[in-house]
Structure formats: structure tokens, C-alpha cells
Amino acid sequence: MVTDTEGYIHIIEYLTEHFSLFENSPSVRADSDTVMNVIEQELSEQIISICSQNEALSFNQRNTVIREVDAIVYDLEEILSGVINNKVTDEQKIFIKEFALLIKNLFDSEIHRQFLT
């Protein structure tokens, strides 16, 4: 659906261009959010938003969206493997939120193109 689009490739390139934001992250403390926790939280919020904004999606279409998000999380784990368990900084939180919104926009476009036209 989205992971095989040119838009997704551009979003991943955008992440790699900003990888320096994630270098030298502090080690995680027991009471702090990790990079992965924030990624999962932000993507979850966006997926909930996608599904609630597109009530016409069937059960199978929603499952397709969820499977795609799982694939995206896997890609992010691979790309950010060295820092995924580090404490997230405020600057990283801002970037991750922006990144999740880009992913949502890509889903919105693909849902409209594939399912609602």
C-alpha cells in the first residue's frame, strides 16, 4: 500500500538526512521515554486518526493499514537500531511527531487513491 510507493522512499530519505538528530543520544534511564516508545506512540495516534477519519474503510482495509504500519515500524527499527533504546530528546520528539504526520499524509493519499475513488 504505502511502503512500496515513491512517497515512502522519500520519507525514509528524509529520515536518513536527519539521522544526525539521533546520534549521541543519552542512554536511557528507567523513568524516561525511549526513541522507540515515542515512535510507537506517535504512529499509533496517527493510525487511530486515519481509521477514525475514514469510517468507510472495511475491516480488511483497516487490517491492511495496520500491517503497513507494522512494516514501517520494522523499517524504523532497522534504520535506527543503534539508538532505538536511547532516551529521546525534545528535538527528537518534535522530529518524530513530524515524521509520523508525513506517514499519516501518505496513508491519507493512498487510502483516497486506492479505496475511496
Side-chain angles (χ1 to χ4, degrees), residues 9-105:
I9 293 168
H10 290 299
I11 291 172
I12 294 299
E13 288 172 352
Y14 178 71
L15 172 63
T16 58
E17 289 169 6
H18 291 86
F19 188 77
S20 61
L21 284 172
F22 296 92
E23 294 174 341
N24 303 318
S25 294
S27 297
V28 69
R29 297 185 323 247
D31 64 338
S32 60
D33 279 333
T34 64
V35 171
M36 189 63 202
N37 289 349
V38 175
I39 288 171
E40 289 174 341
Q41 177 184 351
E42 290 297 330
L43 284 176
S44 295
E45 288 176 13
Q46 295 309 320
I47 295 313
I48 290 168
S49 178
I50 289 167
C51 290
S52 66
Q53 291 173 354
N54 295 286
E55 294 176 359
L57 291 177
S58 70
F59 178 78
N60 288 337
Q61 291 167 332
R62 289 172 193 268
N63 280 339
T64 299
V65 170
I66 292 168
R67 281 192 305 274
E68 285 283 307
V69 172
D70 287 343
I72 291 168
V73 169
Y74 177 80
D75 288 347
L76 295 177
E77 286 175 331
E78 290 292 312
I79 294 166
L80 299 170
S81 63
V83 298
I84 206 87
N85 293 314
N86 289 358
K87 180 181 184 232
V88 70
T89 66
D90 289 338
E91 189 175 30
Q92 291 167 345
K93 283 182 183 179
I94 292 168
F95 178 83
I96 293 168
K97 185 172 198 66
E98 178 183 317
F99 184 83
L101 286 169
L102 291 172
I103 295 291
K104 180 192 179 295
N105 289 343

